Amino acid sequence: MKKGLFLGVALATSMLMSFGMAQAKTQFVTIGTGGITGVYYPTGGAIAKMVNKKKKEYGIRATVESTGGSVFNVNAVMNGDLEFGIVQSDRQYQAINGLAEWKDKGPQKDLRAVFSIHPEAVTLVAAVDAGIKDIKDLKGKKVNIGNPGSGQRQNAIDALEAVGINIDKDLQAESIKASEAASLLQDGRIDAFFYTVGHPSGAIKEATSGARKVRLATITGIDALLAKYPYYAKATIPISLYPGAQNDKDIETFGVKATLVTSAKVPDEVVYAITKEVFDNFDEFKKLHPAYATLTKKNMLEGLSAPIHPGAMKYYKEVGLMK
Ligand code: GLU
């Protein structure tokens, strides 16, 4: 009887121990993205999918969180609420250098780059009945420049300033999330909205397929802005991606890149595993979203301004992508 009890206890203890060990082995990591109708959200899902396939090998379980966007993601990665975040390349530059939203807090020294992803265009979506064809037509209009925490907010402010439009005096600026902007535009509650996003995206499809006629307005006359900031470049949005938009040619604007960032505090093996699974299975990854059409392994290492995380660097050296 005693022996049986002892054996039972021993068995239960060893089961508990091995269960405990299996638990300790699984590392849960969360990737901060953006609104669910953007491209960050499916991108977080695509990255998570690649690494979760090898859960048995790495013991990593990645999940995705919808967030307010780039600025939110940098801050959440820095304070340890998220392990990874998708962040505009311009915001990565500002965070590591202590500019824009990080002017008071100073350089975010622990920010680390992993790789860059799809190009993002500063997209100005406008109602045809509001008579907006170009950014300069926004004077006096009700315009969503984006929620604080989003990447697009500063892009909108920079572009408006570059064409001489003051957001406090010359228009009525709204600060709502991009995921809500399309329906507000369709309901006639705003005249236009800015969204820095990859194409095609659900948000722009939604905005251009309702009853109110909508076009993508050009952002021109910003050459001085492009010359001033290293992270901005000219970009074109192919109109073929949005059959519902009232445009007859591709749209001239400017843009940045989406990038994956993490913290110096995230273990090397976790960052290595994610990097390896995305790059080793590059062709499969590329098929997961049409916004990845122009991706190459090489251009996924461009547009990074924070130091590359040692876990990612280990992989790039192994495969000869970096020396
Ligand atoms: N670029 C946007 C931001 O940083 C997010 C775009 C997206 O979710 O695809 O807030």
Side-chain angles (χ1 to χ4, degrees):
M1 175 72 195
K2 261 190 182 170
K3 201 174 169 191
L5 182 68
F6 172 76
L7 272 177
V9 170
L11 194 68
T13 312
S14 75
M15 272 169 68
L16 267 175
M17 271 175 66
S18 57
F19 177 70
M21 274 162 64
Q23 285 286 81
K25 267 196 195 157
T26 303
Q27 299 219 43
F28 290 91
V29 298
T30 306
I31 307 169
T33 61
I36 57 164
T37 54
V39 180
Y40 286 10
Y41 189 72
T43 294
I47 296 168
K49 184 178 170 180
M50 304 310 294
V51 73
N52 286 343
K53 273 189 192 163
K54 299 273 183 75
K55 186 169 178 286
K56 278 206 187 104
E57 190 177 318
Y58 297 121
I60 296 170
R61 168 98 188 116
T63 53
V64 169
E65 197 176 297
S66 169
T67 74
S70 285
V71 175
F72 177 94
N73 293 343
V74 168
N75 294 334
V77 166
M78 288 298 87
N79 66 29
D81 286 342
L82 295 172
E83 284 72 30
F84 293 90
I86 305 177
V87 166
Q88 287 177 204
S89 49
D90 52 325
R91 301 326 219 128
Q92 187 186 134
Y93 179 96
Q94 292 159 352
I96 196 74
N97 291 301
L99 305 168
E101 275 89 342
W102 298 276
K103 212 167 185 168
D104 296 335
K105 288 191 234 168
Q108 302 299 295
K109 292 202 177 79
D110 276 349
L111 188 67
R112 294 292 176 271
V114 185
F115 48 73
S116 70
I117 325 166
H118 56 279
E120 298 190 270
V122 182
T123 308
L124 175 56
V125 187
V128 169
D129 60 43
I132 302 161
K133 288 190 171 156
D134 182 79
I135 187 171
K136 65 176 186 315
D137 303 323
L138 289 179
K139 269 195 184 153
K141 306 291 181 190
K142 200 168 177 182
V143 183
N144 184 37
I145 60 169
N147 57 297
S150 74
Q152 56 268 8
R153 191 176 171 91
Q154 190 64 46
N155 304 145
I157 294 170
D158 286 348
L160 287 164
E161 265 176 16
V163 297
I165 298 178
N166 182 295
I167 59 155
D168 300 317
K169 285 187 273 171
D170 302 327
L171 51 70
Q172 197 180 330
E174 299 290 338
S175 303
I176 50 183
K177 286 186 185 170
S179 56
E180 290 161 26
S183 62
L184 290 180
L185 183 69
Q186 279 300 327
D187 291 349
R189 290 165 60 196
I190 53 175
D191 298 310
F193 69 88
F194 283 92
Y195 195 14
T196 303
V197 70
H199 294 290
S201 82
I204 312 299
K205 279 187 187 161
E206 186 189 343
T208 53
S209 48
R212 194 179 190 195
K213 286 198 162 60
V214 164
R215 71 163 66 92
L216 305 190
T218 54
I219 302 182
T220 58
I222 53 158
D223 288 353
L225 177 74
L226 303 186
K228 187 170 168 195
Y229 295 115
Y231 43 72
Y232 285 151
K234 276 199 173 157
T236 306
I237 305 167
I239 199 51
S240 58
L241 297 175
Y242 301 108
Q246 305 294 306
N247 292 75
D248 47 25
K249 57 176 196 286
D250 293 348
I251 300 99
E252 233 184 283
T253 181
F254 69 113
V256 293
K257 277 182 122 185
T259 70
L260 184 70
V261 300
T262 187
S263 158
K265 296 194 178 93
V266 172
D268 289 5
E269 62 271 19
V270 172
V271 183
Y272 175 83
I274 287 190
T275 309
K276 182 174 169 63
E277 289 316 310
V278 169
F279 278 77
D280 276 0
N281 304 292
F282 179 70
D283 294 336
E284 190 189 333
F285 177 76
K286 209 174 147 171
K287 281 190 202 125
L288 296 177
H289 200 287
Y292 308 155
T294 57
L295 288 193
T296 63
K297 287 187 184 182
K298 209 168 151 246
N299 68 24
M300 285 179 79
L301 299 180
E302 290 164 3
L304 306 171
S305 31
I308 293 180
H309 191 287
M313 190 54 107
K314 180 177 172 230
Y315 175 80
Y316 299 140
K317 284 188 173 161
E318 262 173 26
V319 295
L321 277 165
M322 277 189 178
K323 282 189 190 128

